[in-house]
């Protein structure tokens, strides 16, 4: 009798987005004359930068001619893209990351979800709360947690991000082996200072731990003092893996391209206490289970680094940050404390009441959908996430309605 992986049964059903869709759907059918604006989504709304579209067209033409056609590419990504990433995203910021330490992929979701495969099952996990749910759920699926207990799972060390620590968890007293960090953060939009990241790097070195640093939103950082990469911190090459994505940098959520950096200097230990290079393990994993990102998509990603591409992607992120500024100002007028939105596309609002109650209130009175914080973890209760990913017109209309409804 074939048996299932029963770890899946431990997963709390993810009701968040289904619940939002159900409540918005019910409202829309009851009030067809009052269209709802969704300020909750984590997906971009603006089209691809023209430089990327041109590159996609040119690559499609190459694929149409025998002389320039390409079949399977390198599993780790084409050299042209890895070299651009190495020089622009790292060398220009004073970080030494070689092209062959970069693994191009079709998304940071898969990479942040798959990376746990190369670690032992009985390691101690430290995961933020609130959190991008992929980090937790993929470890639950792999059997690295006990059963669900309320909004949490037994056996995981939760790193609480609350108003009292400015939504940036401090290093815990307890040791952990694998630490997930995400800055700029989803869902809070908080960013970590150099000193805060240095404390995490020191913690990892002290505990022989590995940090998984998700910087999918690094393109939104405007404050020059905030590190854009964990490798800006001394010693991080020995303790950290970094995940980046073109999804929110250049509108690639539907085009799909991202990358993961595994420095060759990074090790974890085998059962006999011998150090093993994680680069070799991730390379083995990717070459076995992944066949590379499509050639036209990698060309489109490379175009982001051209002069026009850089200007256009900066324009895109500036546009969303403009929305974020309007949202922050509206929350300030309403007297609702918030973080994020200055170096991130999310604004985390302390609504001072149950997050679903506030969601319903906003939907009923303003026909605006936000994301209830409780869906991101226990510490998300009392908050909602508002996203800057929308047209300017929608943001302005939504904020006018919220202002009128809550005044
Ligand atoms: N990491 C974080 C923190 C995210 O919020 C998201 C997407 O919302 C991802 C990773 C996934 O990015 P990708 O589109 O590259 O899979």
């Amino acid at each position: 009798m074939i048996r299932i992986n029963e770890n899946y049964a431990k997963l709390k059903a993810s009701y968040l987005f289904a619940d939002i869709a159900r409540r918005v759907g019910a409202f829309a059918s009851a009030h067809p004359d009052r269209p709802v604006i969704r300020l909750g989504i984590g997906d971009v709304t603006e089209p691809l930068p023209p430089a990327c579209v041109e590159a996609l067209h040119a690559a499609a033409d190459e694929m149409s001619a025998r002389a320039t056609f390409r079949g399977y590419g390198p599993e780790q990504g084409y050299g042209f893209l890895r070299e651009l990433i190495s020089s622009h995203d790292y060398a220009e910021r004073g970080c030494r990351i070689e092209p062959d330490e970069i693994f191009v992929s079709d998304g940071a979701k898969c990479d942040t979800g798959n990376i746990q495969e190369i670690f032992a099952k009985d390691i101690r996990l430290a995961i933020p709360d609130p959190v991008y749910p992929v980090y937790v759920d993929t470890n639950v699926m792999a059997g690295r947690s006990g059963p669900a207990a309320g909004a949490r799972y037994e056996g995981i060390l939760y790193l609480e991000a609350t108003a009292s620590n400015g939504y940036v968890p401090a290093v815990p007293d307890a040791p952990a082996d694998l630490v997930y960090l995400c800055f700029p953060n989803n869902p809070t939009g908080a960013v970590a200072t150099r000193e805060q990241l240095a404390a995490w790097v020191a913690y990892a070195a002290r505990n022989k731990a590995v940090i998984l640093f998700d910087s999918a939103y690094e393109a939104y950082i405007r404050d020059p003092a905030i590190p854009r990469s964990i490798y800006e911190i001394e010693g991080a090459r020995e303790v950290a893996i970094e995940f980046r994505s073109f999804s929110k940098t250049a509108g690639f959520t539907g085009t799909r391209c991202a990358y993961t950096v595994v420095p060759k200097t990074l090790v974890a230990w085998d059962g006999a206490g011998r150090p093993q290079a994680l680069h070799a393990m991730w390379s083995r994993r990717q070459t076995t289970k992944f066949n590379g990102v499509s050639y036209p998509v990698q060309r489109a990603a490379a175009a982001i680094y051209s002069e026009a591409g850089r200007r256009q992607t900066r324009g895109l992120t500036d546009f969303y940050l403009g929305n974020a500024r309007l949202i922050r100002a509206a929350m300030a007028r309403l007297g609702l404390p918030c973080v994020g939105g200055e170096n991130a596309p999310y604004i985390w609002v302390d609504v001072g009441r149950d997050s679903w109650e506030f969601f319903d209130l906003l939907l009923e009175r303003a026909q605006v959908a936000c994301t209830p914080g409780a869906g991101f973890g226990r510490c998300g209760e009392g908050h909602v996430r508002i996203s800057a990913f929308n047209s300017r017109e929608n943001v302005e209309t939504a904020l006018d309605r919220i202002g009128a409804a809550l005044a």
Side-chain angles (χ1 to χ4, degrees), residues 281-297:
M281 289 186 68
W282 186 242
S283 183
R284 186 76 172 86
R285 192 268 171 211
Q286 288 298 81
T287 51
T288 303
K289 297 194 179 183
F290 183 61
N291 243 342
V293 176
S294 88
Y295 173 70
V297 167

Side-chain angles (χ1 to χ4, degrees), residues 42 107-109 132 135 182 186 214 216-217 245 247-248 256 258 346:
K109 185 182 202 175
Y132 176 58
Y135 315 151
C182 173
N186 177 13
D214 185 343
Y217 298 94
S245 171
S247 283
K248 310 298 161 67
R256 312 300 306 143
Y346 298 121

